Amino acid sequence: MAPLTDLIDILEKMHEEHQQLLELAKEKREVLISGDTEMLQSLLSREARLLEAVGVLEREREQFVKDYQTSNGLEGTSYTLDELVEHVHQPFLKNRITSAASKLRNVIQELSLANKDNQQLIQTSLSYLHYSIGLFAGKEQTSGYGPNVKKRYSSMLDAKI
């Protein structure tokens, strides 16, 4: 069984990865505003690599908590840090784990807000594009047969002679 300092290391690495994701989200905002699609593509590929690294770290964290609970005779199904911290009896380690988890939660919350802002920028851009396309394309009159076709010439054909 690895010591709890290994868990703290995992949490700190997760914090670093999320901090990089936050910086990337801020860069993405500027790129979305400027409309640089090549740079956006580059940012998205960097983001995918970071997300993959975060996923690996999350699985490590979850496995560590599961192993810790199992080795200490604790039962649990969610394997959360809160459950683990309840059973840590060394105040110094308990504080370090709590502090690392708190820093991680804060950066995740900030990242979530940045991503929401970027999502709103994308939605606004899409709305503008749809509006612009509608202006250039104009509305075509439907022609053909069927129940949904406007009857443009019905009055001329229905005239009595």
Side-chain angles (χ1 to χ4, degrees), residues 152-159:
R152 295 188 312 197
Y153 302 109
S154 62
S155 62
M156 184 173 66
L157 295 176
D158 289 343

Side-chain angles (χ1 to χ4, degrees), residues 3 46 49 62 76 82 85 97 111 117 120 127 132 135 152:
R46 285 176 40 204
R49 287 191 300 271
E62 194 173 88
D82 294 332
V85 168
I97 293 170
L111 177 61
D117 288 345
Q120 287 177 343
S127 295
S132 297
L135 286 178
R152 295 188 312 197

Side-chain angles (χ1 to χ4, degrees), residues 42-81:
S42 171
L43 290 175
L44 290 175
S45 66
R46 285 176 40 204
E47 183 180 49
R49 287 191 300 271
L50 286 171
L51 288 173
E52 188 176 322
V54 166
V56 168
L57 288 169
E58 176 59 20
R59 288 187 292 278
E60 284 180 26
R61 183 209 58 83
E62 194 173 88
Q63 187 62 46
F64 181 93
V65 173
K66 183 178 180 179
D67 292 345
Y68 182 85
Q69 288 180 333
T70 303
S71 69
N72 289 312
L74 305 171
E75 291 189 27
T77 55
S78 63
Y79 309 113
T80 65
L81 287 174

Side-chain angles (χ1 to χ4, degrees), residues 119-134:
Q119 188 176 15
Q120 287 177 343
L121 274 173
I122 291 169
Q123 289 292 50
T124 302
S125 295
L126 286 174
S127 295
Y128 177 74
L129 283 173
H130 285 297
Y131 174 74
S132 297
I133 289 171

Side-chain angles (χ1 to χ4, degrees), residues 63-113:
Q63 187 62 46
F64 181 93
V65 173
K66 183 178 180 179
D67 292 345
Y68 182 85
Q69 288 180 333
T70 303
S71 69
N72 289 312
L74 305 171
E75 291 189 27
T77 55
S78 63
Y79 309 113
T80 65
L81 287 174
D82 294 332
E83 288 178 1
L84 180 130
V85 168
E86 288 177 18
H87 301 288
V88 174
H89 301 295
Q90 298 115 338
F92 177 71
L93 286 175
K94 192 174 202 170
N95 287 338
R96 282 193 63 201
I97 293 170
T98 304
S99 174
S102 177
K103 283 175 31 180
L104 180 58
R105 285 184 186 113
N106 288 341
V107 77
I108 288 172
Q109 186 176 21
E110 198 174 339
L111 177 61
S112 177
L113 291 174

